[in-house]
Amino acid sequence: MFTIKRDDGKDQNREERLAASLMENDPSEQKILESYTKLTVEGQNLRVDFQEDGNLLSATSAQHSMFYDSLLGISHLYGIEEITFVNPEGEENITVAERKVDAPIVVADERGRSKGYYTLYDKEGKQTWFIPAGELDEGAGGEDLSFQETIEMMQTVDQEDAFYASAITEGLEVKEVSLKDGLAIVHYTMDEEEVSTSDRIVFENAMQLVALDFDATELKMVNETKRQNKTFPF
């Protein structure tokens, strides 16, 4: 599951934003990424130089799964295609979170393609989480969807009594969608009596995640009801 917290007040480059996102969301008890590594990005490749190895990079079986889900999911959203782990001797041969890694990890091979996102509201934490449709029994099976088709699919929930919901609530209607040269544009209308500020923010966040999945560098949300535009740079 994902959530979005934008801090537009910080002047960070892509590498710094990726490193911060990975470290803040590292689920391992030892905080493997935060404490023991140096992260560098070259194009679409992420290199992780570990300063320690052995027990300091170990994890339980549950943490193993969460560690790699987080690593692969967040890296994908930043456009990373391959992840290389390097041991303290400078070799690509190290065991991290109970997994021996001696070759670059190909993100697409392990994560698969996105088919959109659904929402789960955490009442206790008062936070909305976004669940990839690929993790649920939703979407178009193994078919590849376009940006527009993905958003169309996200408007409904097929499963009865599902524990998750659509990010496009009643009162929101997507009118037009486009994606060209890295610029994603979503035109929509909203019933101001039905749609709360929180509903609109959840919708905007979901659109950001989808745009990132399609390698957009910028998302423009066009609210035709209020005749307002909002731009989200990535």
Side-chain angles (χ1 to χ4, degrees), residues 115-143:
K115 301 178 179 66
Y117 294 85
Y118 290 88
T119 64
L120 174 64
Y121 183 66
D122 175 7
K123 293 181 180 179
E124 184 176 339
K126 296 182 179 180
Q127 186 173 31
T128 296
W129 293 92
F130 297 90
I131 312 172
E135 300 292 330
L136 306 166
D137 191 15
E138 292 278 356
E143 295 181 23

Side-chain angles (χ1 to χ4, degrees), residues 6 8 37 68 72 75 96 105-106 112 126 159 192 196-197 200 203-204:
R6 296 187 66 100
D8 295 326
T37 67
Y68 282 99
L72 293 165
S75 295
V96 179
I105 299 172
V106 180
K126 296 182 179 180
Q159 306 303 310
E192 296 184 65
S196 67
T197 299
R200 179 181 53 77
F203 171 57
E204 291 174 347

Side-chain angles (χ1 to χ4, degrees), residues 72-122:
L72 293 165
I74 292 173
S75 295
H76 166 76
L77 291 174
Y78 280 87
I80 298 298
E81 295 183 355
E82 287 190 350
I83 303 171
T84 301
F85 286 168
V86 180
N87 66 26
E89 287 71 45
E91 302 168 337
E92 295 181 25
N93 186 359
I94 190 170
T95 298
V96 179
E98 311 311 304
R99 172 175 173 172
K100 182 177 175 60
V101 183
D102 55 10
I105 299 172
V106 180
V107 174
D109 288 350
E110 303 210 21
R111 185 178 185 273
R113 294 181 180 275
S114 170
K115 301 178 179 66
Y117 294 85
Y118 290 88
T119 64
L120 174 64
Y121 183 66
D122 175 7

